[in-house]
Amino acid sequence: MLSAYWQRELTTFGTRHTCSSQTDPVRGIGAARDWIASELNTYAKASNGRMTVSVSGYVQAPIGTLIPNATLISNVVATLKGSVEPNRVYVVSGHYDSRVTDIDNFTDDAPGADDDASGVAVSMELARVMASHVPKATIMFATVAGEEQGLFGSNFMAETLASQGVDVQGMLDNDIVGSSTADDGTIDKFDIRMFVQGLPSNNTAQQNLNLASIGAEFDSPAHQLGRFVAEVAQNQVTQMNVRQIFRPDRFLRGGDHESFLRQGFPAVRFTEPHENFAHQHQNTRLVNDVQFGDLLEFVDIDFTTRVAKVNGAAIWSLAQAPGMPKNLLIDTSVLTNNSTLTWTEDSNADAGYEVVWRETDVPQWQRAISVGKVGKTTVLLSKDNVQMGVRAVGKNGFKSPAAFPKPN
């Protein structure tokens, strides 16, 4: 079980507001940053040099009362290097900054136990567990800052990875994953919401029209990642139902996955099934016997543990599988009841490929057939009737998310 240690310790820094002290050794975001880095460096010792820890960022210029002074935005990231494809990367992330009711208030206590010490705990626990393992692709266990003020840390991370040409094939954002109880007393211990964006953020209007013209609004890279997570992470080990919600996030809300989506990287967001808004973005206070504030006493450690297992199952399966097939095309040059698909062969798909398909009104892949170690296949199935994809298969049994074909 995931220990309460991480969430408890993160609530001891008073406030982790982005604009709080960077230098006080016991209070403020700087103290939290240094503690996270120290913990991750401890875990990295079990990796025989495969895991490295970095603290990187930039100075954010003042933005009115939101960022009143030039402020250092620092991300703490433990990177477990892939043994076969180090440039293929998967990210699991939570944000370690916190806030109270007034977003400009960086002095009052903001314990942030659920938002988002819970997500940080997921990243840190997975870094600890996986440090001694050897994934084929690289996994980055991230804790980012500046989320509450405008996704500053995750935007810096996503832009940096994009500028470096890193092949980020999946990002899992954990934000508010610490409670199973809603404000009306509803308890839901075995569901986790996964928000999955449809049309890619970096698409042009014409690209979106092209997707709509073939009914592919729900076949973006983010959707393929979401399907994969739902397929591999709902089992007896996690004990969780992954509820896919086909929209970028909740109404009036946002998260760090959006920074990655803007760069064209597949990304999804996990959030608890029923939120208690008295315990988010609130000053700690008692009103008419109702306790407000994001306090540790309202966090369900068993629930967060199961969310960590969902992330672990997904991120490890992604990193052990071959990458998604690239340059996948479907032949639309002639009228036929068959379907011909072509893609770039990958030597890491050492067990070959599978063609998958589903009815157009069904969210998950329903059927799959093995087509061998090829880069072209024709299946006796009409592309007019179903949605199709191709996924790569490794000899270790791990399968990639499916890629969706472009018309050719």
Side-chain angles (χ1 to χ4, degrees):
M1 185 179 80
L2 184 150
S3 170
Y5 171 67
W6 293 285
Q7 284 159 287
R8 183 179 66 247
E9 289 299 304
L10 282 165
T11 63
T12 65
F13 297 104
T15 177
R16 305 190 306 275
H17 191 284
T18 299
C19 298
S20 61
S21 175
Q22 301 268 350
T23 57
D24 190 309
V26 296
R27 182 179 176 85
I29 195 168
R33 173 200 63 216
D34 296 345
W35 175 80
I36 293 169
S38 176
E39 288 288 307
L40 292 176
N41 273 304
T42 298
Y43 310 152
K45 293 176 182 178
S47 72
N48 293 320
R50 291 185 301 274
M51 178 181 282
T52 57
V53 178
S54 65
V55 180
S56 61
Y58 72 103
V59 176
Q60 173 62 48
I63 306 175
T65 58
L66 187 68
I67 306 287
N69 303 297
T71 299
L72 178 64
I73 306 293
S74 297
N75 299 329
V76 188
V77 182
T79 301
L80 184 59
K81 187 176 180 180
S83 62
V84 177
E85 296 180 81
N87 196 56
R88 176 162 60 92
V89 168
Y90 301 95
V91 178
V92 57
S93 180
H95 72 86
Y96 70 96
D97 59 304
S98 64
R99 58 166 288 190
V100 292
T101 308
D102 180 0
I103 195 172
D104 295 339
N105 181 346
F106 58 86
T107 58
D108 288 348
D109 282 357
D114 194 7
D115 185 13
D116 184 36
S118 61
V120 172
V122 169
S123 285
M124 295 181 72
E125 168 68 354
L126 293 180
R128 184 190 68 81
V129 170
M130 294 185 182
S132 59
H133 293 65
V134 185
K136 293 182 180 296
T138 294
I139 305 174
M140 300 181 78
F141 307 93
T143 68
V144 300
E147 191 271 350
E148 300 290 4
Q149 284 69 33
L151 315 182
F152 292 142
S154 60
N155 188 59
F156 173 78
M157 183 178 182
E159 285 186 347
T160 299
L161 292 170
S163 69
Q164 293 173 345
V166 177
D167 184 17
V168 180
Q169 292 200 9
M171 185 270 190
L172 309 180
D173 177 26
N174 292 272
D175 195 349
I176 311 179
V177 293
S179 177
S180 58
T181 305
D183 49 11
D184 63 357
T186 300
I187 299 175
D188 190 349
K189 291 179 174 292
F190 300 100
D191 284 335
I192 184 67
R193 290 185 292 176
M194 178 175 63
F195 289 88
V196 184
Q197 177 169 290
L199 297 172
S201 299
N202 63 332
N203 267 10
T204 65
Q206 185 59 54
Q207 286 174 318
N208 284 339
L209 287 173
N210 292 343
L211 287 175
S213 71
I214 58 173
E217 299 94 329
F218 301 111
D219 283 283
S220 66
H223 271 285
Q224 307 308 345
L225 175 62
R227 289 190 177 98
F228 179 91
V229 172
E231 182 177 347
V232 304
Q234 300 182 106
N235 52 53
Q236 292 181 341
V237 175
T238 67
Q239 299 180 286
M240 292 293 274
N241 171 59
V242 179
R243 183 183 177 190
Q244 296 186 78
I245 299 178
F246 288 174
R247 58 170 54 99
D249 211 319
R250 300 98 75 221
F251 288 104
L252 304 177
R253 308 297 287 275
D256 290 315
H257 61 303
E258 294 175 315
S259 298
F260 284 76
L261 289 167
R262 283 195 291 269
Q263 298 302 321
F265 299 140
V268 297
R269 175 192 176 134
F270 293 110
T271 295
E272 60 202 29
H274 304 286
E275 297 173 78
N276 189 326
F277 301 110
H279 303 153
Q280 297 176 19
H281 300 179
Q282 294 286 343
N283 290 81
T284 300
R285 65 197 190 280
L286 191 66
V287 180
N288 297 326
D289 294 325
V290 176
Q291 181 65 63
F292 287 80
D294 193 352
L295 301 169
L296 187 63
E297 64 191 81
F298 301 115
V299 168
D300 181 344
I301 299 300
D302 290 342
F303 178 81
T304 310
T305 297
R306 288 190 288 274
V307 175
K309 289 179 178 179
V310 167
N311 279 260
I315 210 80
W316 186 253
S317 297
L318 288 163
Q320 289 300 88
M324 290 177 64
K326 295 182 181 293
N327 304 313
L328 177 61
L329 301 171
I330 189 164
D331 187 356
T332 58
S333 61
V334 295
L335 294 174
T336 174
N337 287 317
N338 300 331
S339 300
T340 298
L341 297 139
T342 61
W343 59 91
T344 301
E345 288 188 69
D346 181 357
S347 61
N348 294 301
D350 46 15
Y353 296 88
E354 291 180 346
V355 174
V356 295
W357 70 90
R358 69 182 199 279
E359 297 296 326
T360 60
D361 60 348
V362 173
Q364 294 298 108
W365 299 116
Q366 295 174 296
R367 299 285 301 277
I369 56 171
S370 176
V371 296
K373 297 173 68 174
V374 298
K376 180 178 181 179
T377 191
T378 297
V379 293
L380 306 180
L381 184 68
S382 173
K383 57 188 171 292
D384 295 325
N385 299 337
V386 297
Q387 295 290 54
M388 283 185 281
V390 175
R391 63 189 180 197
V393 184
K395 286 184 177 179
N396 57 7
F398 287 92
K399 302 175 182 182
S400 75
F404 186 77
K406 294 181 179 179
N408 182 23

